[in-house]
Amino acid sequence: MSFKELRAILLNGILNENPTFRLVLGMCPTLAITYQASNGIGMGLATTFVLVFSNLVISLLRNLIPEKIRIPSFIIIIATFVTIVEMVMHAFVPDLYDTLGVFISLIVVNCIIFARAESFAFKNPPLPSIMDGLGMGLGFTLAITLLSCIRELLGSGTIFGSQIMPEWFEPMGIVIQPAGGFIILGLLLATVTGLSARAQRRKEAAK
């Protein structure tokens, strides 16, 4: 596979099929933990790690895994890498580990990871599968980090714990609540969809 094709696979997950803004997958952690920027980037990177390595292993074993037990096999492979992530985070970033809590374990059943295992890694060679996992992971990380930054800024006046807004700013408490997460996510989805449609119209007009 050429470099151009691999780059297209990588960018597909970041732009065209962004898990959050285009496919609207993984909404549980997206809405539950994105009230702080550190939570967003932590969950995003953890998910990226699991995506990349589970895609790799599933691709390597795709001709050995019987069709009838592929889903249980996917669960075992994904759970192995989630356990590694949990152990590493518990050892090196215990505060983040405690904050994310059960949502780290729930990466095992994250529909983004299962979707890529089923639709891509199980049908493609290892290198494209790695790029697919990396692209989807980075797309997810960028999306939830952006959402986290906006929610933290409006809800607390900070980003990554650093004060950004002036002293007179009155934090909007609803923004860091689940309802606020729905509102901000909806606005971001509308913005991304509108920009994408506008870019598509320009592309068609240029032909």
Side-chain angles (χ1 to χ4, degrees), residues 117-131:
E118 177 74 14
S119 67
F120 199 96
F122 197 59
K123 301 174 182 177
N124 289 278
L127 187 54
S129 297
I130 290 173
M131 298 304 288

Side-chain angles (χ1 to χ4, degrees), residues 24-146:
V24 198
L25 298 175
M27 290 294 101
C28 183
T30 298
L31 294 171
I33 57 90
T34 55
Y35 55 88
Q36 289 183 333
S38 58
N39 293 354
I41 197 167
M43 176 58 71
L45 292 177
T47 304
T48 300
F49 174 86
V50 177
L51 267 166
V52 170
F53 286 97
S54 62
N55 266 19
L56 171 61
V57 173
I58 290 168
S59 177
L60 289 170
L61 299 178
R62 69 189 188 280
N63 294 323
L64 301 176
I65 298 175
E67 181 70 22
K68 292 183 179 180
I69 62 167
R70 72 184 190 285
I71 299 300
S73 301
F74 293 168
I75 293 174
I76 292 171
I77 293 168
I78 294 167
T80 299
F81 291 108
V82 171
T83 302
I84 293 172
V85 166
E86 281 191 293
M87 293 174 67
V88 170
M89 292 182 72
H90 195 195
F92 294 102
V93 282
D95 291 340
L96 181 60
Y97 174 83
D98 292 337
T99 300
L100 296 179
V102 69
F103 290 102
I104 302 174
S105 299
L106 289 176
I107 293 175
V108 174
V109 291
N110 191 310
C111 50
I112 300 171
I113 298 174
F114 265 96
R116 302 325 294 174
E118 177 74 14
S119 67
F120 199 96
F122 197 59
K123 301 174 182 177
N124 289 278
L127 187 54
S129 297
I130 290 173
M131 298 304 288
D132 178 75
L134 183 59
M136 287 289 169
L138 291 177
F140 179 65
T141 301
L142 291 172
I144 66 171
T145 301
L146 174 61

Side-chain angles (χ1 to χ4, degrees), residues 6 9 34 42 49 83 169 177 180 196:
L6 292 174
I9 293 172
T34 55
F49 174 86
T83 302
F169 175 74
Q177 300 300 319
S196 177

